[in-house]
Amino acid sequence: MPADLPLTVLFLGRLLLGGAFVFAGLRNIQNAAFLTGLMAARGVPQARLALWAGIVLQIVASVLVMAGLWTAIACAVLVLFLIVATPMFHNFWDHQGLDRASRINGFVGNVALGGGFLTLIAQSL
């Protein structure tokens, strides 16, 4: 096996994990009004401020993951983000039919992303 293959695979993994969150953060900017209303309806205080703080955190931490800077800290921040955001936005237990299936898929996807971030944390320690 070439000596640089593990580093190349690690780099690609960081790009894919971080890139998914950069994409999600940019998409959240486009849906900010809807997401603010959803968060407010779920009782989040200062929903607009909380949303924008989450978006900034999401994008900054993701860029750090992609760049390989402070990887363990950035990944830990994103795991905490997932712990808060996943039950808020992928609450499949409150839905039925196709909407429930879609939310289950989002929930499971976020769990998998959390696993990827935990793997990067372990690798970087």
Side-chain angles (χ1 to χ4, degrees):
M1 168 173 23
D4 60 348
L5 183 60
L7 291 176
T8 301
V9 171
L10 179 61
F11 173 72
L12 290 174
R14 285 196 331 261
L15 283 182
L16 292 172
L17 276 170
F21 266 76
V22 169
F23 174 78
L26 295 174
R27 191 182 68 220
N28 288 344
I29 291 170
Q30 291 178 331
N31 297 316
F34 171 75
L35 294 172
T36 299
L38 185 66
M39 290 171 68
R42 296 226 169 101
V44 175
Q46 299 290 321
R48 188 172 195 279
L49 178 63
L51 175 69
W52 283 101
I55 289 171
V56 168
L57 177 138
Q58 187 177 27
I59 291 173
V60 169
S62 299
V63 169
L64 290 172
V65 168
M66 292 170 71
L69 299 171
W70 300 304
T71 303
I73 294 169
C75 286
V77 166
L78 290 169
V79 167
L80 292 174
F81 176 87
L82 285 169
I83 289 169
V84 172
T86 299
M88 185 179 307
F89 294 108
H90 301 291
N91 57 328
F92 62 87
W93 50 88
D94 289 336
H95 298 272
Q96 298 298 320
L98 291 176
D99 193 32
R100 181 183 176 99
S102 174
R103 290 177 189 263
I104 287 172
N105 288 340
F107 191 96
V108 170
N110 279 5
V111 169
L113 286 167
F117 288 124
L118 290 173
T119 302
L120 274 179
I121 290 170
Q123 182 279 325
S124 66
L125 296 177

Short mmCIF file of all heavy atoms in Angstrom, two decimals, residues 54-113:
data_model
loop_
_atom_site.label_atom_id
_atom_site.label_comp_id
_atom_site.label_asym_id
_atom_site.label_seq_id
_atom_site.Cartn_x
_atom_site.Cartn_y
_atom_site.Cartn_z
N GLY A 54 -26.27 28.80 15.24
CA GLY A 54 -26.08 27.42 14.79
C GLY A 54 -25.51 27.34 13.39
O GLY A 54 -24.65 26.51 13.11
N ILE A 55 -25.98 28.20 12.50
CA ILE A 55 -25.48 28.21 11.12
C ILE A 55 -24.00 28.58 11.09
O ILE A 55 -23.19 27.92 10.43
CB ILE A 55 -26.31 29.16 10.24
CG1 ILE A 55 -27.71 28.57 10.00
CG2 ILE A 55 -25.60 29.42 8.91
CD1 ILE A 55 -28.68 29.53 9.33
N VAL A 56 -23.63 29.62 11.82
CA VAL A 56 -22.23 30.05 11.86
C VAL A 56 -21.37 28.94 12.45
O VAL A 56 -20.32 28.58 11.90
CB VAL A 56 -22.07 31.37 12.64
CG1 VAL A 56 -20.61 31.67 12.93
CG2 VAL A 56 -22.72 32.52 11.87
N LEU A 57 -21.81 28.36 13.56
CA LEU A 57 -21.08 27.27 14.20
C LEU A 57 -20.93 26.11 13.22
O LEU A 57 -19.85 25.56 13.07
CB LEU A 57 -21.86 26.83 15.44
CG LEU A 57 -21.31 25.65 16.21
CD1 LEU A 57 -21.42 25.95 17.69
CD2 LEU A 57 -22.06 24.40 15.88
N GLN A 58 -22.00 25.76 12.55
CA GLN A 58 -22.01 24.65 11.60
C GLN A 58 -21.00 24.86 10.48
O GLN A 58 -20.21 23.97 10.17
CB GLN A 58 -23.43 24.53 11.04
CG GLN A 58 -23.73 23.37 10.19
CD GLN A 58 -25.20 23.37 9.78
OE1 GLN A 58 -25.85 24.41 9.71
NE2 GLN A 58 -25.73 22.19 9.51
N ILE A 59 -21.00 26.04 9.90
CA ILE A 59 -20.11 26.30 8.76
C ILE A 59 -18.66 26.42 9.22
O ILE A 59 -17.76 25.84 8.61
CB ILE A 59 -20.58 27.55 7.99
CG1 ILE A 59 -21.92 27.24 7.29
CG2 ILE A 59 -19.53 28.00 6.98
CD1 ILE A 59 -22.58 28.45 6.63
N VAL A 60 -18.41 27.16 10.29
CA VAL A 60 -17.03 27.35 10.76
C VAL A 60 -16.42 26.02 11.19
O VAL A 60 -15.30 25.68 10.79
CB VAL A 60 -16.96 28.40 11.90
CG1 VAL A 60 -15.59 28.41 12.55
CG2 VAL A 60 -17.31 29.79 11.35
N ALA A 61 -17.15 25.25 12.00
CA ALA A 61 -16.61 23.96 12.45
C ALA A 61 -16.38 23.02 11.26
O ALA A 61 -15.39 22.30 11.22
CB ALA A 61 -17.55 23.32 13.47
N SER A 62 -17.26 23.06 10.29
CA SER A 62 -17.11 22.20 9.11
C SER A 62 -15.88 22.57 8.29
O SER A 62 -15.17 21.69 7.80
CB SER A 62 -18.35 22.31 8.23
OG SER A 62 -19.48 21.89 8.93
N VAL A 63 -15.64 23.85 8.14
CA VAL A 63 -14.45 24.29 7.40
C VAL A 63 -13.19 23.85 8.15
O VAL A 63 -12.20 23.43 7.54
CB VAL A 63 -14.48 25.81 7.15
CG1 VAL A 63 -13.16 26.33 6.64
CG2 VAL A 63 -15.61 26.15 6.17
N LEU A 64 -13.21 23.94 9.48
CA LEU A 64 -12.07 23.47 10.27
C LEU A 64 -11.85 21.97 10.06
O LEU A 64 -10.71 21.53 9.93
CB LEU A 64 -12.27 23.79 11.75
CG LEU A 64 -12.19 25.26 12.14
CD1 LEU A 64 -12.60 25.45 13.59
CD2 LEU A 64 -10.80 25.81 11.89
N VAL A 65 -12.93 21.20 10.03
CA VAL A 65 -12.80 19.76 9.77
C VAL A 65 -12.18 19.54 8.40
O VAL A 65 -11.25 18.74 8.24
CB VAL A 65 -14.17 19.05 9.88
CG1 VAL A 65 -14.10 17.63 9.33
CG2 VAL A 65 -14.66 19.04 11.32
N MET A 66 -12.67 20.23 7.40
CA MET A 66 -12.16 20.07 6.04
C MET A 66 -10.68 20.42 5.95
O MET A 66 -9.92 19.76 5.25
CB MET A 66 -12.98 20.93 5.06
CG MET A 66 -14.41 20.45 4.89
SD MET A 66 -15.44 21.61 3.98
CE MET A 66 -14.76 21.42 2.34
N ALA A 67 -10.28 21.45 6.69
CA ALA A 67 -8.90 21.91 6.65
C ALA A 67 -7.99 21.08 7.56
O ALA A 67 -6.76 21.20 7.49
CB ALA A 67 -8.83 23.38 7.06
N GLY A 68 -8.57 20.27 8.42
CA GLY A 68 -7.76 19.48 9.35
C GLY A 68 -7.20 20.29 10.49
O GLY A 68 -6.19 19.93 11.09
N LEU A 69 -7.87 21.39 10.83
CA LEU A 69 -7.43 22.27 11.92
C LEU A 69 -8.33 22.07 13.13
O LEU A 69 -9.55 22.12 13.00
CB LEU A 69 -7.49 23.74 11.47
CG LEU A 69 -6.62 24.11 10.29
CD1 LEU A 69 -6.93 25.52 9.83
CD2 LEU A 69 -5.15 23.98 10.66
N TRP A 70 -7.72 21.86 14.29
CA TRP A 70 -8.49 21.65 15.53
C TRP A 70 -9.59 20.63 15.28
O TRP A 70 -10.74 20.80 15.71
CB TRP A 70 -9.05 22.96 16.06
CG TRP A 70 -8.03 23.98 16.38
CD1 TRP A 70 -6.97 23.85 17.23
CD2 TRP A 70 -7.94 25.30 15.85
NE1 TRP A 70 -6.24 25.00 17.25
CE2 TRP A 70 -6.81 25.92 16.41
CE3 TRP A 70 -8.70 26.03 14.95
CZ2 TRP A 70 -6.44 27.20 16.10
CZ3 TRP A 70 -8.33 27.31 14.64
CH2 TRP A 70 -7.20 27.88 15.21
N THR A 71 -9.25 19.54 14.63
CA THR A 71 -10.23 18.57 14.16
C THR A 71 -11.06 18.00 15.31
O THR A 71 -12.29 17.92 15.20
CB THR A 71 -9.53 17.43 13.40
OG1 THR A 71 -8.79 18.01 12.32
CG2 THR A 71 -10.52 16.44 12.85
N ALA A 72 -10.43 17.59 16.39
CA ALA A 72 -11.19 16.98 17.50
C ALA A 72 -12.20 17.96 18.08
O ALA A 72 -13.35 17.59 18.33
CB ALA A 72 -10.24 16.47 18.58
N ILE A 73 -11.79 19.20 18.26
CA ILE A 73 -12.70 20.22 18.82
C ILE A 73 -13.83 20.51 17.85
O ILE A 73 -15.01 20.55 18.23
CB ILE A 73 -11.92 21.50 19.18
CG1 ILE A 73 -10.95 21.21 20.32
CG2 ILE A 73 -12.88 22.63 19.54
CD1 ILE A 73 -9.95 22.32 20.58
N ALA A 74 -13.49 20.70 16.58
CA ALA A 74 -14.50 21.00 15.57
C ALA A 74 -15.50 19.85 15.46
O ALA A 74 -16.72 20.07 15.37
CB ALA A 74 -13.84 21.29 14.23
N CYS A 75 -15.00 18.62 15.47
CA CYS A 75 -15.89 17.45 15.39
C CYS A 75 -16.77 17.35 16.62
O CYS A 75 -17.96 17.03 16.53
CB CYS A 75 -15.08 16.17 15.21
SG CYS A 75 -14.38 15.98 13.56
N ALA A 76 -16.21 17.62 17.80
CA ALA A 76 -17.01 17.58 19.03
C ALA A 76 -18.12 18.62 18.98
O ALA A 76 -19.26 18.35 19.39
CB ALA A 76 -16.10 17.80 20.24
N VAL A 77 -17.82 19.80 18.48
CA VAL A 77 -18.83 20.85 18.33
C VAL A 77 -19.94 20.37 17.40
O VAL A 77 -21.13 20.57 17.67
CB VAL A 77 -18.18 22.16 17.83
CG1 VAL A 77 -19.22 23.14 17.33
CG2 VAL A 77 -17.33 22.78 18.92
N LEU A 78 -19.57 19.73 16.30
CA LEU A 78 -20.57 19.25 15.35
C LEU A 78 -21.39 18.09 15.92
O LEU A 78 -22.60 17.99 15.64
CB LEU A 78 -19.92 18.88 14.03
CG LEU A 78 -19.42 20.11 13.25
CD1 LEU A 78 -18.54 19.69 12.08
CD2 LEU A 78 -20.58 20.97 12.78
N VAL A 79 -20.79 17.25 16.74
CA VAL A 79 -21.55 16.19 17.42
C VAL A 79 -22.58 16.83 18.36
O VAL A 79 -23.75 16.42 18.38
CB VAL A 79 -20.63 15.20 18.17
CG1 VAL A 79 -21.42 14.30 19.10
CG2 VAL A 79 -19.83 14.37 17.18
N LEU A 80 -22.17 17.83 19.12
CA LEU A 80 -23.11 18.52 20.01
C LEU A 80 -24.22 19.19 19.20
O LEU A 80 -25.40 19.16 19.59
CB LEU A 80 -22.38 19.53 20.88
CG LEU A 80 -21.45 18.94 21.92
CD1 LEU A 80 -20.66 20.03 22.64
CD2 LEU A 80 -22.22 18.09 22.92
N PHE A 81 -23.85 19.80 18.07
CA PHE A 81 -24.84 20.40 17.17
C PHE A 81 -25.87 19.34 16.75
O PHE A 81 -27.08 19.59 16.77
CB PHE A 81 -24.14 21.00 15.95
CG PHE A 81 -25.09 21.54 14.93
CD1 PHE A 81 -25.56 22.84 15.02
CD2 PHE A 81 -25.50 20.76 13.87
CE1 PHE A 81 -26.44 23.34 14.07
CE2 PHE A 81 -26.38 21.25 12.92
CZ PHE A 81 -26.86 22.54 13.03
N LEU A 82 -25.39 18.16 16.36
CA LEU A 82 -26.29 17.09 15.94
C LEU A 82 -27.20 16.64 17.07
O LEU A 82 -28.38 16.34 16.85
CB LEU A 82 -25.49 15.90 15.42
CG LEU A 82 -24.87 16.07 14.04
CD1 LEU A 82 -23.89 14.94 13.76
CD2 LEU A 82 -25.94 16.14 12.97
N ILE A 83 -26.67 16.57 18.28
CA ILE A 83 -27.47 16.14 19.43
C ILE A 83 -28.64 17.10 19.66
O ILE A 83 -29.75 16.69 20.00
CB ILE A 83 -26.58 16.02 20.69
CG1 ILE A 83 -25.67 14.80 20.55
CG2 ILE A 83 -27.43 15.92 21.97
CD1 ILE A 83 -24.58 14.71 21.60
N VAL A 84 -28.41 18.39 19.43
CA VAL A 84 -29.47 19.38 19.60
C VAL A 84 -30.41 19.41 18.39
O VAL A 84 -31.64 19.41 18.52
CB VAL A 84 -28.87 20.78 19.86
CG1 VAL A 84 -29.94 21.85 19.84
CG2 VAL A 84 -28.10 20.79 21.17
N ALA A 85 -29.84 19.45 17.20
CA ALA A 85 -30.63 19.67 15.98
C ALA A 85 -31.42 18.45 15.53
O ALA A 85 -32.54 18.59 15.01
CB ALA A 85 -29.71 20.14 14.85
N THR A 86 -30.87 17.26 15.72
CA THR A 86 -31.53 16.07 15.17
C THR A 86 -32.93 15.84 15.73
O THR A 86 -33.88 15.71 14.96
CB THR A 86 -30.63 14.83 15.35
OG1 THR A 86 -29.41 15.07 14.64
CG2 THR A 86 -31.31 13.58 14.82
N PRO A 87 -33.13 15.83 17.04
CA PRO A 87 -34.51 15.63 17.52
C PRO A 87 -35.43 16.82 17.21
O PRO A 87 -36.64 16.66 17.11
CB PRO A 87 -34.36 15.42 19.02
CG PRO A 87 -33.00 15.91 19.37
CD PRO A 87 -32.17 15.85 18.14
N MET A 88 -34.84 18.00 17.02
CA MET A 88 -35.66 19.17 16.72
C MET A 88 -36.20 19.13 15.29
O MET A 88 -37.36 19.47 15.04
CB MET A 88 -34.85 20.45 16.93
CG MET A 88 -35.68 21.71 16.75
SD MET A 88 -34.73 23.23 17.02
CE MET A 88 -34.02 22.94 18.61
N PHE A 89 -35.37 18.74 14.35
CA PHE A 89 -35.75 18.82 12.94
C PHE A 89 -36.09 17.47 12.31
O PHE A 89 -36.63 17.43 11.21
CB PHE A 89 -34.64 19.49 12.13
CG PHE A 89 -34.45 20.93 12.51
CD1 PHE A 89 -33.33 21.33 13.22
CD2 PHE A 89 -35.38 21.88 12.18
CE1 PHE A 89 -33.15 22.65 13.58
CE2 PHE A 89 -35.22 23.21 12.54
CZ PHE A 89 -34.10 23.59 13.24
N HIS A 90 -35.77 16.39 12.97
CA HIS A 90 -36.06 15.06 12.42
C HIS A 90 -36.90 14.26 13.42
O HIS A 90 -36.63 13.09 13.68
CB HIS A 90 -34.76 14.33 12.07
CG HIS A 90 -33.95 15.07 11.06
ND1 HIS A 90 -34.34 15.20 9.76
CD2 HIS A 90 -32.78 15.74 11.18
CE1 HIS A 90 -33.44 15.91 9.09
NE2 HIS A 90 -32.50 16.26 9.95
N ASN A 91 -37.91 14.89 13.95
CA ASN A 91 -38.78 14.31 14.98
C ASN A 91 -39.82 13.38 14.33
O ASN A 91 -41.00 13.66 14.31
CB ASN A 91 -39.44 15.41 15.80
CG ASN A 91 -40.23 16.37 14.93
OD1 ASN A 91 -39.88 16.63 13.78
ND2 ASN A 91 -41.30 16.91 15.47
N PHE A 92 -39.35 12.26 13.84
CA PHE A 92 -40.19 11.32 13.10
C PHE A 92 -41.35 10.79 13.93
O PHE A 92 -42.40 10.42 13.41
CB PHE A 92 -39.36 10.16 12.55
CG PHE A 92 -38.68 9.33 13.60
CD1 PHE A 92 -39.33 8.27 14.19
CD2 PHE A 92 -37.38 9.62 13.99
CE1 PHE A 92 -38.70 7.50 15.15
CE2 PHE A 92 -36.74 8.85 14.95
CZ PHE A 92 -37.40 7.79 15.54
N TRP A 93 -41.20 10.75 15.25
CA TRP A 93 -42.21 10.21 16.14
C TRP A 93 -43.48 11.05 16.13
O TRP A 93 -44.53 10.57 16.55
CB TRP A 93 -41.66 10.07 17.56
CG TRP A 93 -40.99 11.34 18.04
CD1 TRP A 93 -41.59 12.38 18.68
CD2 TRP A 93 -39.62 11.67 17.89
NE1 TRP A 93 -40.66 13.37 18.94
CE2 TRP A 93 -39.43 12.95 18.46
CE3 TRP A 93 -38.52 11.02 17.33
CZ2 TRP A 93 -38.20 13.60 18.47
CZ3 TRP A 93 -37.30 11.65 17.34
CH2 TRP A 93 -37.14 12.93 17.92
N ASP A 94 -43.41 12.30 15.63
CA ASP A 94 -44.59 13.18 15.56
C ASP A 94 -45.26 13.15 14.20
O ASP A 94 -46.17 13.95 13.96
CB ASP A 94 -44.18 14.63 15.88
CG ASP A 94 -43.82 14.84 17.33
OD1 ASP A 94 -44.30 14.05 18.18
OD2 ASP A 94 -43.06 15.77 17.63
N HIS A 95 -44.83 12.28 13.29
CA HIS A 95 -45.33 12.31 11.91
C HIS A 95 -45.75 10.92 11.45
O HIS A 95 -45.42 9.92 12.08
CB HIS A 95 -44.24 12.87 10.99
CG HIS A 95 -43.87 14.27 11.34
ND1 HIS A 95 -44.52 15.36 10.84
CD2 HIS A 95 -42.93 14.75 12.19
CE1 HIS A 95 -44.00 16.46 11.35
NE2 HIS A 95 -43.03 16.12 12.18
N GLN A 96 -46.47 10.90 10.33
CA GLN A 96 -46.96 9.65 9.75
C GLN A 96 -46.65 9.61 8.27
O GLN A 96 -46.35 10.64 7.66
CB GLN A 96 -48.49 9.53 9.95
CG GLN A 96 -48.94 9.50 11.39
CD GLN A 96 -48.40 8.31 12.15
OE1 GLN A 96 -48.34 7.20 11.63
NE2 GLN A 96 -47.99 8.53 13.40
N GLY A 97 -46.72 8.43 7.70
CA GLY A 97 -46.62 8.25 6.25
C GLY A 97 -45.26 8.64 5.68
O GLY A 97 -44.21 8.39 6.29
N LEU A 98 -45.30 9.26 4.50
CA LEU A 98 -44.06 9.64 3.81
C LEU A 98 -43.25 10.67 4.59
O LEU A 98 -42.03 10.64 4.56
CB LEU A 98 -44.38 10.16 2.41
CG LEU A 98 -44.91 9.13 1.41
CD1 LEU A 98 -45.27 9.80 0.10
CD2 LEU A 98 -43.89 8.03 1.19
N ASP A 99 -43.95 11.58 5.28
CA ASP A 99 -43.23 12.58 6.08
C ASP A 99 -42.45 11.89 7.19
O ASP A 99 -41.31 12.25 7.48
CB ASP A 99 -44.21 13.60 6.64
CG ASP A 99 -43.53 14.82 7.22
OD1 ASP A 99 -42.45 15.20 6.70
OD2 ASP A 99 -44.07 15.41 8.16
N ARG A 100 -43.04 10.88 7.81
CA ARG A 100 -42.35 10.12 8.86
C ARG A 100 -41.12 9.42 8.28
O ARG A 100 -40.03 9.47 8.87
CB ARG A 100 -43.29 9.11 9.49
CG ARG A 100 -42.65 8.29 10.60
CD ARG A 100 -43.65 7.25 11.14
NE ARG A 100 -43.04 6.40 12.12
CZ ARG A 100 -43.16 6.56 13.44
NH1 ARG A 100 -43.86 7.56 13.93
NH2 ARG A 100 -42.57 5.73 14.27
N ALA A 101 -41.28 8.77 7.13
CA ALA A 101 -40.16 8.08 6.50
C ALA A 101 -39.03 9.04 6.17
O ALA A 101 -37.85 8.73 6.39
CB ALA A 101 -40.63 7.36 5.24
N SER A 102 -39.37 10.21 5.68
CA SER A 102 -38.36 11.21 5.35
C SER A 102 -37.60 11.66 6.60
O SER A 102 -36.38 11.80 6.59
CB SER A 102 -39.03 12.41 4.68
OG SER A 102 -38.10 13.44 4.47
N ARG A 103 -38.34 11.86 7.67
CA ARG A 103 -37.70 12.30 8.92
C ARG A 103 -36.86 11.19 9.54
O ARG A 103 -35.81 11.46 10.13
CB ARG A 103 -38.74 12.84 9.89
CG ARG A 103 -39.30 14.16 9.40
CD ARG A 103 -40.38 14.69 10.29
NE ARG A 103 -41.04 15.82 9.70
CZ ARG A 103 -40.75 17.10 9.99
NH1 ARG A 103 -39.79 17.37 10.84
NH2 ARG A 103 -41.40 18.07 9.41
N ILE A 104 -37.29 9.94 9.40
CA ILE A 104 -36.47 8.83 9.88
C ILE A 104 -35.16 8.80 9.11
O ILE A 104 -34.08 8.62 9.69
CB ILE A 104 -37.22 7.48 9.75
CG1 ILE A 104 -38.33 7.39 10.80
CG2 ILE A 104 -36.26 6.30 9.89
CD1 ILE A 104 -39.25 6.19 10.63
N ASN A 105 -35.23 8.99 7.79
CA ASN A 105 -34.01 9.01 6.98
C ASN A 105 -33.07 10.12 7.43
O ASN A 105 -31.86 9.91 7.52
CB ASN A 105 -34.35 9.17 5.50
CG ASN A 105 -34.97 7.92 4.92
OD1 ASN A 105 -34.82 6.84 5.45
ND2 ASN A 105 -35.68 8.09 3.82
N GLY A 106 -33.61 11.31 7.70
CA GLY A 106 -32.78 12.41 8.19
C GLY A 106 -32.17 12.10 9.54
O GLY A 106 -31.01 12.40 9.80
N PHE A 107 -32.96 11.49 10.42
CA PHE A 107 -32.49 11.13 11.75
C PHE A 107 -31.33 10.14 11.65
O PHE A 107 -30.27 10.34 12.25
CB PHE A 107 -33.65 10.52 12.56
CG PHE A 107 -33.36 10.34 14.01
CD1 PHE A 107 -33.75 11.29 14.93
CD2 PHE A 107 -32.72 9.20 14.49
CE1 PHE A 107 -33.50 11.13 16.29
CE2 PHE A 107 -32.45 9.03 15.83
CZ PHE A 107 -32.85 9.99 16.73
N VAL A 108 -31.53 9.08 10.86
CA VAL A 108 -30.49 8.06 10.71
C VAL A 108 -29.25 8.65 10.04
O VAL A 108 -28.12 8.34 10.42
CB VAL A 108 -31.03 6.84 9.93
CG1 VAL A 108 -29.93 5.87 9.56
CG2 VAL A 108 -32.11 6.14 10.75
N GLY A 109 -29.46 9.53 9.05
CA GLY A 109 -28.32 10.19 8.40
C GLY A 109 -27.51 11.01 9.39
O GLY A 109 -26.27 10.98 9.37
N ASN A 110 -28.18 11.72 10.28
CA ASN A 110 -27.47 12.51 11.28
C ASN A 110 -26.74 11.63 12.28
O ASN A 110 -25.64 11.96 12.72
CB ASN A 110 -28.43 13.46 11.99
CG ASN A 110 -28.70 14.71 11.18
OD1 ASN A 110 -28.25 14.85 10.05
ND2 ASN A 110 -29.45 15.62 11.76
N VAL A 111 -27.34 10.50 12.63
CA VAL A 111 -26.65 9.55 13.52
C VAL A 111 -25.37 9.07 12.84
O VAL A 111 -24.30 9.00 13.47
CB VAL A 111 -27.57 8.38 13.91
CG1 VAL A 111 -26.80 7.27 14.60
CG2 VAL A 111 -28.71 8.87 14.79
N ALA A 112 -25.45 8.75 11.55
CA ALA A 112 -24.27 8.29 10.81
C ALA A 112 -23.21 9.39 10.74
O ALA A 112 -22.01 9.12 10.90
CB ALA A 112 -24.66 7.85 9.41
N LEU A 113 -23.63 10.64 10.50
CA LEU A 113 -22.67 11.74 10.49
C LEU A 113 -22.00 11.87 11.86
O LEU A 113 -20.79 12.09 11.94
CB LEU A 113 -23.37 13.05 10.13
CG LEU A 113 -23.75 13.21 8.66
CD1 LEU A 113 -24.71 14.39 8.49
CD2 LEU A 113 -22.52 13.39 7.81
#
